[in-house]
Amino acid sequence: MDIRKFSLPEIIFGHGSMEYTGSYALQLGAKKVFVVSDPGLEKSGWVKKLLQIIEASSLRWVYYSNVSSNPRDYEVHTGAELYKAEGADVVIALGGGSPMDMAKGVATVVSNGGTIQDYEGANLITSPLPPMIFLPSTAGSGSDISQFAIITDVARKVKMSLISRSLTPNVSIIDSELLSTVDDDLLISSAVDALAHAVESYVSLIAHTLTETQALKAIHLILENMQPALKTRDPKTLEFLSIAATAAGMSFSNASLGACHAIAHSLGGFFDTTHGMVHPVLLPAVMKYNLPACEEKMATIGEIVLGKRLSSSRQTAEGGITRLHEIFLELGTATHFREIVNDRSAFPQICEMATKDACLLTNPRPATAEELLAICEEVW
């Protein structure tokens, strides 16, 4: 039997669990916490509530919200300078993938020195990070669970992938009440991001039973609850989406991803696109490309999507991919690149960059820059 590693933070899950933030910070030795969030969560009132919880635990805090939708290298460095100047000792992030990845970047630089570029790639972080507590406000990115951080190198127009066990937070507090203020576009893009995490990690070359189990559960829960959550915002459907995003995060953090995310990272670095908008365009096309290398696994996904198995594995897999494309159309998402970017000539460069992305290493079917370009042309 193969020996496998499965990395996770401590997870606090449930409606109202945000209230435990201060007590967990104290357990981690906090005296002055460094809080990272964004203006959207300020407007919705969640930042104010979090700071009140922190103050109720007699903790001091410093707040940082200079976070772009694709976190920039210089924003990380500014945050690290503030962290050191204020003498902070524990990092708390509230938000989607952007504030959480920003928090990971700041924690990396303050503990290891240098610039964030020094840690691009796998296992380059050598010194322990300050303790981190993350509160996801969307059901999608999985950054609160994962060993990944994605930071944009502005000069190179590249979204850098940082991968290290050190980037897994100490504590993830998953309070589905935070989803109640998320708008439709963000709810959809986050859920589809989680779906892409689940699909790609399920067919990953380094997937194993622990990751596969979580991935399949996530696919089922997302497809079952995404549209009802949009219509009603029922607390139970929102909770199921939170569970799905957590399960998908557990899977991809340990099995990695594939070509869909490799292209999405390169595209985001070049065009500054919103990450979640890319997956409805790319995911069905990448699944179709990967099908010859993992037919049985794609058929298992297809059976969940269709709710039944067709006469052969191939038909079930193809039927599931077609139906997934139809679901994205029904949700009103972009399904062609021309709907979200306006420069087709940049794709050869983007696909060349994608071949250097760590996520491509675990794609079930090898892909050259030319083959990735053919996928992108198919969905232009």
Side-chain angles (χ1 to χ4, degrees):
M1 182 181 289
D2 289 343
I3 305 299
R4 302 282 186 166
K5 183 179 76 169
F6 195 80
S7 174
L8 284 178
E10 183 172 359
I11 298 171
I12 315 303
F13 188 94
H15 193 80
S17 55
M18 186 181 190
E19 295 289 342
Y20 288 87
T21 306
S23 61
Y24 271 90
L26 289 170
Q27 286 182 32
L28 292 169
K31 291 182 173 60
K32 187 173 188 179
V33 297
F34 185 83
V35 180
V36 183
S37 193
D38 62 36
L41 285 155
E42 291 172 25
K43 290 175 186 173
S44 62
W46 293 116
V47 171
K48 182 179 179 181
K49 181 174 181 179
L50 176 62
L51 295 178
Q52 288 172 339
I53 291 168
I54 290 167
E55 289 174 352
S57 296
S58 301
L59 288 166
R60 293 177 296 142
W61 53 267
V62 55
Y63 178 59
Y64 186 65
S65 63
N66 187 20
V67 183
S68 300
S69 59
N70 291 307
R72 272 74 158 152
D73 48 6
Y74 63 85
E75 295 168 345
V76 169
H77 300 144
T78 301
E81 290 169 8
L82 178 63
Y83 180 102
K84 289 184 283 189
E86 291 285 342
D89 47 24
V90 169
V91 177
I92 297 177
L94 168 67
S98 300
M100 290 191 285
D101 282 357
M102 172 60 67
K104 290 182 179 184
V106 169
T108 299
V109 171
V110 299
S111 58
N112 285 260
T115 68
I116 196 63
Q117 284 84 352
D118 297 333
Y119 309 101
E120 180 181 6
N123 302 317
L124 296 177
I125 299 171
T126 55
S127 297
L129 272 58
M132 296 187 291
I133 301 171
F134 284 7
L135 297 94
S137 64
T138 65
S141 78
S143 188
D144 59 301
I145 298 293
S146 80
Q147 305 177 66
F148 287 70
I150 309 297
I151 305 293
T152 298
D153 183 320
V154 176
R156 290 189 293 149
K157 291 188 175 181
V158 170
K159 287 181 81 167
M160 301 180 292
S161 295
L162 285 65
I163 309 167
S164 170
R165 174 65 181 87
S166 301
L167 294 172
T168 306
N170 300 70
V171 181
S172 172
I173 299 178
I174 303 167
D175 188 343
S176 59
E177 187 179 356
L178 289 164
L179 300 184
S180 64
T181 56
V182 170
D183 65 29
D184 285 2
D185 288 344
L186 185 53
L187 189 72
I188 292 169
S189 63
S190 299
V192 176
D193 189 18
L195 182 64
H197 292 156
V199 169
E200 289 209 288
S201 62
Y202 179 64
V203 300
S204 162
L205 291 176
I206 59 171
H208 54 88
T209 304
L210 277 173
T211 64
E212 290 165 349
T213 302
Q214 298 298 331
L216 291 177
K217 186 62 177 177
I219 294 167
H220 173 80
L221 286 173
I222 291 164
L223 293 173
E224 190 174 70
N225 291 281
M226 185 163 46
Q227 287 171 321
L230 278 169
K231 290 176 183 174
T232 67
R233 291 298 195 279
D234 177 70
K236 201 65 184 173
T237 63
L238 295 176
E239 186 174 273
F240 281 136
L241 286 180
S242 288
I243 293 169
T246 303
M250 291 178 186
S251 182
F252 92 80
S253 179
N254 292 280
S256 195
L257 295 161
C260 186
H261 273 79
I263 297 170
H265 291 157
S266 297
L267 191 80
F270 194 91
F271 284 115
D272 198 27
T273 50
T274 301
H275 182 69
M277 291 177 62
V278 179
H279 298 308
V281 175
L282 269 178
L283 185 59
V286 170
M287 291 171 71
K288 182 180 172 184
Y289 173 81
N290 285 333
L291 177 54
C294 51
E295 184 175 296
E296 283 303 321
K297 281 194 163 186
M298 285 295 184
T300 300
I301 295 170
E303 187 173 356
I304 296 172
V305 175
L306 296 168
K308 60 182 178 182
R309 198 167 184 93
L310 304 182
S311 57
S312 70
S313 294
R314 184 80 180 198
Q315 285 184 321
T316 307
E318 290 175 342
I321 294 167
T322 299
R323 177 60 191 138
L324 201 56
H325 176 73
E326 292 170 354
I327 289 170
F328 295 152
L329 286 171
E330 290 164 9
L331 290 169
T333 66
T335 54
H336 294 89
F337 272 139
R338 61 179 174 269
E339 299 173 63
I340 57 176
V341 297
N342 58 9
D343 184 5
R344 192 175 188 171
S345 67
F347 277 90
Q349 181 182 348
I350 287 165
C351 291
E352 186 63 44
M353 286 191 294
T355 62
K356 300 174 177 65
D357 192 287
C359 291
L360 196 62
L361 295 172
T362 46
N363 196 65
R365 183 181 173 189
T368 63
E370 292 73 24
E371 287 165 329
L372 295 180
L373 180 59
I375 293 170
C376 293
E377 293 287 352
E378 178 186 339
V379 295
W380 173 253

